Amino acid sequence: MPIKGLILVTLLFCSQLKAQEPVTLQLKWTHQFQFAGYYMAKEKGYYKDAGLDVTIREANPKMPDTFTPVALNEAQFGVAHSGILQQRVNGQPFVAMAAILQFSPYCWMVKDSSDIFHPRDFTAKRITEVSRKDGTELLIMLKRSGIDINTLEVFSSEEPAVEAWQQNKLDAMQVYVTNQPYFMTQQGISHRLICPQRYGMDVYGDVLFTSESMLKKHPQTVEKFYQASLKGWRYAMMNMDEAIAVTQQLYAPNKSFHQLAYEAEVLKEYIMPPTTHLGNMSMAKWRLIADYYGIKQSDFDEQKAGFIYKYQESESIQLSWMLIAAIIVSIISIPLYLRLILGKK
């Protein structure tokens, strides 16, 4: 076979070594602008350039659990709230990689006519059941204001919570800052929000995370996913109209452009506040969050070293596919070159 043919075959073979590595990202809710950075990382080819074939999987809104899929390796990455720290202390070896939202996006929504103006006003009020499942910071906010949350009446019914709230069957409903409030505004229903951030609770939201096992076995994969994801988020923030359009066209066709634009405008202040950089996490803030959750500082100290992501290069020598290709081509070419030289003699 001619040298050119051998080289071509070799390069084709080596290209297979650079096959896209499949990984899954488990979202904490259904598709919306909340996850636009990951969409852009995929659609702009950032994941592909990093050698990753990423599946972005939305949550089941009835059971929005991201911890279990990552723990079972059904997904290699997930998006969670600050409760990931409690999970870590409880024995789940999760690693927090980046806080996409620097503040909690969860709030209590009450009607304008309500007598609830402050967390301390929740005494004997009726709240939504979902709050006890994943709205931890909302409950902590109430407890810090002196409310015994065990005495609160929890609304449990097949009837949608939004309808019950509108019919005054419950007093406060847990909401995501960009979702239900948007619909209430569109319907002309006056309301106000009681949010943790306004009452001294500074916690992270939408924390990108992985498992300790994934990090140990595939450190380079984790790093590539981390870098490509942040690149996608930077692009989304710098090109919001495009990110909104991509989100609507490819991921959330059930949402209007106006709705997604509203979500983007609100979340922009959560994602890139002027005081910090994209994805930032600090040990000091996580220590404060531990205090909010009632985690002993000694327990936090035992976990802190492995909890916040830090890339460590694998000790084994990692050869790139281009280097491998060059080595193989050289090995093939040397005897052919010698044959040509000797043939001339």
Side-chain angles (χ1 to χ4, degrees):
M1 180 183 291
I3 293 178
K4 288 183 178 180
L6 284 172
I7 292 176
L8 180 59
V9 170
T10 301
L11 290 175
L12 288 173
F13 168 76
C14 291
S15 68
Q16 299 302 312
L17 298 177
K18 195 174 180 283
Q20 304 293 299
E21 181 179 359
V23 295
T24 297
L25 170 65
Q26 177 63 64
L27 305 181
K28 65 196 291 279
W29 196 245
T30 56
H31 291 306
Q32 53 188 9
F33 189 86
Q34 176 185 359
F35 311 112
Y38 304 115
Y39 305 151
M40 298 312 294
K42 184 177 178 70
E43 302 308 323
K44 301 304 290 187
Y46 301 152
Y47 288 139
K48 183 178 180 181
D49 292 344
L52 302 175
D53 178 14
V54 178
T55 297
I56 302 175
R57 189 167 64 199
E58 65 179 349
N60 177 352
K62 294 183 179 180
M63 297 180 63
D65 174 21
T66 58
F67 296 127
T68 301
V70 175
L72 297 178
N73 199 38
E74 295 172 357
Q76 289 67 51
F77 303 95
V79 179
H81 47 68
S82 288
I84 186 178
L85 177 58
Q86 185 70 67
Q87 291 282 326
R88 173 85 188 197
V89 172
N90 289 345
Q92 289 286 8
F94 294 137
V95 179
M97 299 171 63
I100 302 303
L101 303 185
Q102 293 297 307
F103 315 108
S104 171
Y106 294 106
C107 299
W108 292 110
M109 184 172 71
V110 302
K111 288 187 175 179
D112 242 5
S113 57
S114 170
D115 59 355
I116 300 176
F117 294 90
H118 189 280
R120 61 173 173 264
D121 298 329
F122 274 73
T123 301
K125 299 302 182 182
R126 301 162 298 175
I127 62 174
T128 44
E129 185 178 25
V130 69
S131 308
R132 294 178 182 271
K133 295 180 180 178
D134 63 357
T136 309
E137 58 261 40
L138 294 181
L139 296 179
I140 292 174
M141 177 178 66
L142 300 187
K143 288 194 289 186
R144 285 168 57 87
S145 296
I147 302 297
D148 182 354
I149 63 173
N150 294 316
T151 65
L152 297 176
E153 182 181 342
V154 178
F155 176 80
S156 57
S157 172
E158 295 298 322
E159 181 181 2
V162 173
E163 293 180 11
W165 181 83
Q166 290 177 300
Q167 297 169 12
N168 294 318
K169 294 180 181 179
L170 60 88
D171 301 296
M173 178 172 62
Q174 175 190 279
V175 297
Y176 195 86
V177 70
T178 61
N179 289 346
Q180 294 91 340
Y182 171 82
F183 292 114
M184 294 303 111
T185 299
Q186 292 299 301
Q187 295 177 41
I189 300 175
S190 298
H191 61 276
R192 58 177 172 271
L193 301 176
I194 312 294
C195 306
Q197 183 189 355
R198 299 177 186 174
Y199 297 97
M201 278 203 62
D202 189 13
V203 301
Y204 292 124
D206 283 19
V207 178
L208 176 64
F209 74 101
T210 189
S211 66
E212 208 168 61
S213 173
M214 179 68 185
L215 181 57
K216 287 181 178 180
K217 293 178 181 178
H218 308 283
Q220 288 191 326
T221 300
V222 173
E223 174 66 8
K224 289 188 290 186
F225 185 86
Y226 170 77
Q227 294 294 347
S229 295
L230 290 187
K231 187 175 181 180
W233 273 111
R234 292 189 191 96
Y235 188 92
M237 291 295 97
M238 295 299 292
N239 303 272
M240 290 183 65
D241 285 347
E242 181 183 350
I244 293 168
V246 167
T247 300
Q248 182 190 37
Q249 294 168 13
L250 302 180
Y251 295 91
N254 58 313
K255 294 180 179 289
S256 69
F257 188 92
H258 184 272
Q259 181 183 352
L260 292 170
Y262 172 85
E263 184 183 3
E265 193 62 31
V266 173
L267 289 183
K268 180 174 65 175
E269 302 302 321
Y270 286 71
I271 297 170
M272 297 188 72
T275 55
T276 189
H277 62 269
L278 178 67
N280 179 66
M281 295 189 300
S282 73
M283 191 66 73
K285 186 166 177 175
W286 275 116
R287 185 177 291 279
L288 183 62
I289 292 171
D291 186 55
Y292 291 149
Y293 279 70
I295 297 171
K296 294 180 180 179
Q297 291 301 310
S298 57
D299 292 338
F300 175 77
D301 288 336
E302 288 180 6
Q303 300 295 334
K304 67 179 183 181
F307 177 61
I308 296 182
Y309 172 66
K310 182 178 180 182
Y311 176 60
Q312 294 182 341
E313 184 72 48
S314 176
E315 293 181 1
S316 60
I317 298 176
Q318 300 291 334
L319 296 178
S320 70
W321 75 276
M322 288 295 290
L323 180 57
I324 295 173
I327 291 173
I328 294 176
V329 169
S330 298
I331 292 173
I332 294 174
S333 299
I334 289 173
L336 292 174
Y337 175 75
L338 292 175
R339 184 184 301 174
L340 288 173
I341 295 299
L342 293 174
K344 291 179 178 180
K345 292 181 178 181

PDB file of all heavy atoms in Angstrom, residues 107 117 143 175 193 208 218 222 228 256 262 315 338:
ATOM      1  N   CYS A 107     -38.937  31.588  46.221  1.00  0.00           N
ATOM      2  CA  CYS A 107     -39.613  32.580  47.065  1.00  0.00           C
ATOM      3  C   CYS A 107     -40.975  32.041  47.479  1.00  0.00           C
ATOM      4  O   CYS A 107     -41.503  31.105  46.862  1.00  0.00           O
ATOM      5  CB  CYS A 107     -39.828  33.903  46.309  1.00  0.00           C
ATOM      6  SG  CYS A 107     -38.325  34.735  45.759  1.00  0.00           S
ATOM      7  N   PHE A 117     -46.215  39.926  55.252  1.00  0.00           N
ATOM      8  CA  PHE A 117     -45.252  40.879  54.710  1.00  0.00           C
ATOM      9  C   PHE A 117     -43.812  40.470  55.039  1.00  0.00           C
ATOM     10  O   PHE A 117     -42.874  40.980  54.429  1.00  0.00           O
ATOM     11  CB  PHE A 117     -45.504  42.278  55.280  1.00  0.00           C
ATOM     12  CG  PHE A 117     -46.807  42.877  54.853  1.00  0.00           C
ATOM     13  CD1 PHE A 117     -47.958  42.679  55.608  1.00  0.00           C
ATOM     14  CD2 PHE A 117     -46.906  43.633  53.686  1.00  0.00           C
ATOM     15  CE1 PHE A 117     -49.174  43.234  55.218  1.00  0.00           C
ATOM     16  CE2 PHE A 117     -48.109  44.183  53.287  1.00  0.00           C
ATOM     17  CZ  PHE A 117     -49.253  43.981  54.053  1.00  0.00           C
ATOM     18  N   LYS A 143     -37.950  29.414  59.997  1.00  0.00           N
ATOM     19  CA  LYS A 143     -37.465  29.005  61.313  1.00  0.00           C
ATOM     20  C   LYS A 143     -36.583  30.081  61.937  1.00  0.00           C
ATOM     21  O   LYS A 143     -36.653  30.334  63.142  1.00  0.00           O
ATOM     22  CB  LYS A 143     -36.693  27.686  61.203  1.00  0.00           C
ATOM     23  CG  LYS A 143     -37.589  26.484  60.947  1.00  0.00           C
ATOM     24  CD  LYS A 143     -36.863  25.168  61.170  1.00  0.00           C
ATOM     25  CE  LYS A 143     -35.844  24.885  60.100  1.00  0.00           C
ATOM     26  NZ  LYS A 143     -35.253  23.526  60.250  1.00  0.00           N
ATOM     27  N   VAL A 175     -42.575  29.292  44.929  1.00  0.00           N
ATOM     28  CA  VAL A 175     -42.473  29.549  43.499  1.00  0.00           C
ATOM     29  C   VAL A 175     -41.021  29.738  43.106  1.00  0.00           C
ATOM     30  O   VAL A 175     -40.163  30.065  43.937  1.00  0.00           O
ATOM     31  CB  VAL A 175     -43.273  30.812  43.081  1.00  0.00           C
ATOM     32  CG1 VAL A 175     -44.748  30.621  43.353  1.00  0.00           C
ATOM     33  CG2 VAL A 175     -42.750  32.062  43.792  1.00  0.00           C
ATOM     34  N   LEU A 193     -43.588  38.830  46.719  1.00  0.00           N
ATOM     35  CA  LEU A 193     -42.706  37.698  46.979  1.00  0.00           C
ATOM     36  C   LEU A 193     -41.955  37.887  48.294  1.00  0.00           C
ATOM     37  O   LEU A 193     -41.480  38.983  48.598  1.00  0.00           O
ATOM     38  CB  LEU A 193     -41.710  37.529  45.835  1.00  0.00           C
ATOM     39  CG  LEU A 193     -42.302  37.292  44.439  1.00  0.00           C
ATOM     40  CD1 LEU A 193     -41.194  37.231  43.394  1.00  0.00           C
ATOM     41  CD2 LEU A 193     -43.134  36.013  44.407  1.00  0.00           C
ATOM     42  N   LEU A 208     -23.948  23.257  39.851  1.00  0.00           N
ATOM     43  CA  LEU A 208     -23.500  22.164  38.992  1.00  0.00           C
ATOM     44  C   LEU A 208     -22.651  21.230  39.842  1.00  0.00           C
ATOM     45  O   LEU A 208     -21.744  21.680  40.542  1.00  0.00           O
ATOM     46  CB  LEU A 208     -22.681  22.714  37.820  1.00  0.00           C
ATOM     47  CG  LEU A 208     -22.045  21.688  36.878  1.00  0.00           C
ATOM     48  CD1 LEU A 208     -23.104  20.871  36.164  1.00  0.00           C
ATOM     49  CD2 LEU A 208     -21.123  22.380  35.878  1.00  0.00           C
ATOM     50  N   HIS A 218     -12.491   9.838  36.173  1.00  0.00           N
ATOM     51  CA  HIS A 218     -12.416  10.586  34.907  1.00  0.00           C
ATOM     52  C   HIS A 218     -12.184  12.074  35.173  1.00  0.00           C
ATOM     53  O   HIS A 218     -13.033  12.917  34.835  1.00  0.00           O
ATOM     54  CB  HIS A 218     -13.707  10.394  34.111  1.00  0.00           C
ATOM     55  CG  HIS A 218     -14.095   8.966  33.916  1.00  0.00           C
ATOM     56  ND1 HIS A 218     -13.487   8.148  32.988  1.00  0.00           N
ATOM     57  CD2 HIS A 218     -15.037   8.191  34.539  1.00  0.00           C
ATOM     58  CE1 HIS A 218     -14.041   6.938  33.035  1.00  0.00           C
ATOM     59  NE2 HIS A 218     -14.972   6.943  33.969  1.00  0.00           N
ATOM     60  N   VAL A 222     -14.368  15.478  33.678  1.00  0.00           N
ATOM     61  CA  VAL A 222     -15.026  16.452  34.560  1.00  0.00           C
ATOM     62  C   VAL A 222     -14.529  17.855  34.254  1.00  0.00           C
ATOM     63  O   VAL A 222     -15.318  18.795  34.147  1.00  0.00           O
ATOM     64  CB  VAL A 222     -14.776  16.097  36.043  1.00  0.00           C
ATOM     65  CG1 VAL A 222     -15.321  17.199  36.951  1.00  0.00           C
ATOM     66  CG2 VAL A 222     -15.430  14.767  36.390  1.00  0.00           C
ATOM     67  N   ALA A 228     -16.302  23.672  29.391  1.00  0.00           N
ATOM     68  CA  ALA A 228     -17.227  23.862  28.265  1.00  0.00           C
ATOM     69  C   ALA A 228     -18.555  24.438  28.745  1.00  0.00           C
ATOM     70  O   ALA A 228     -19.164  25.266  28.066  1.00  0.00           O
ATOM     71  CB  ALA A 228     -17.446  22.540  27.544  1.00  0.00           C
ATOM     72  N   SER A 256     -43.226  30.880  25.321  1.00  0.00           N
ATOM     73  CA  SER A 256     -43.126  31.980  24.360  1.00  0.00           C
ATOM     74  C   SER A 256     -41.781  32.683  24.490  1.00  0.00           C
ATOM     75  O   SER A 256     -41.108  32.596  25.530  1.00  0.00           O
ATOM     76  CB  SER A 256     -44.249  32.998  24.609  1.00  0.00           C
ATOM     77  OG  SER A 256     -44.045  33.682  25.839  1.00  0.00           O
ATOM     78  N   TYR A 262     -38.317  37.252  29.705  1.00  0.00           N
ATOM     79  CA  TYR A 262     -38.554  37.701  31.081  1.00  0.00           C
ATOM     80  C   TYR A 262     -37.688  36.895  32.050  1.00  0.00           C
ATOM     81  O   TYR A 262     -37.037  37.458  32.951  1.00  0.00           O
ATOM     82  CB  TYR A 262     -40.027  37.527  31.430  1.00  0.00           C
ATOM     83  CG  TYR A 262     -40.340  37.770  32.891  1.00  0.00           C
ATOM     84  CD1 TYR A 262     -40.569  39.061  33.370  1.00  0.00           C
ATOM     85  CD2 TYR A 262     -40.419  36.705  33.795  1.00  0.00           C
ATOM     86  CE1 TYR A 262     -40.849  39.281  34.713  1.00  0.00           C
ATOM     87  CE2 TYR A 262     -40.701  36.917  35.134  1.00  0.00           C
ATOM     88  CZ  TYR A 262     -40.911  38.207  35.592  1.00  0.00           C
ATOM     89  OH  TYR A 262     -41.188  38.412  36.927  1.00  0.00           O
ATOM     90  N   GLU A 315      -2.146  11.458  37.246  1.00  0.00           N
ATOM     91  CA  GLU A 315      -0.717  11.179  37.320  1.00  0.00           C
ATOM     92  C   GLU A 315      -0.227  10.450  36.083  1.00  0.00           C
ATOM     93  O   GLU A 315       0.927  10.554  35.701  1.00  0.00           O
ATOM     94  CB  GLU A 315      -0.423  10.348  38.567  1.00  0.00           C
ATOM     95  CG  GLU A 315      -0.662  11.116  39.869  1.00  0.00           C
ATOM     96  CD  GLU A 315      -0.332  10.277  41.080  1.00  0.00           C
ATOM     97  OE1 GLU A 315       0.102   9.121  40.881  1.00  0.00           O
ATOM     98  OE2 GLU A 315      -0.500  10.772  42.205  1.00  0.00           O
ATOM     99  N   LEU A 338      13.139   3.389   4.863  1.00  0.00           N
ATOM    100  CA  LEU A 338      14.368   2.595   4.747  1.00  0.00           C
ATOM    101  C   LEU A 338      14.318   1.724   3.503  1.00  0.00           C
ATOM    102  O   LEU A 338      15.328   1.540   2.807  1.00  0.00           O
ATOM    103  CB  LEU A 338      14.550   1.726   5.986  1.00  0.00           C
ATOM    104  CG  LEU A 338      14.854   2.492   7.287  1.00  0.00           C
ATOM    105  CD1 LEU A 338      14.894   1.504   8.474  1.00  0.00           C
ATOM    106  CD2 LEU A 338      16.197   3.222   7.181  1.00  0.00           C
TER     107      LEU A 338
END
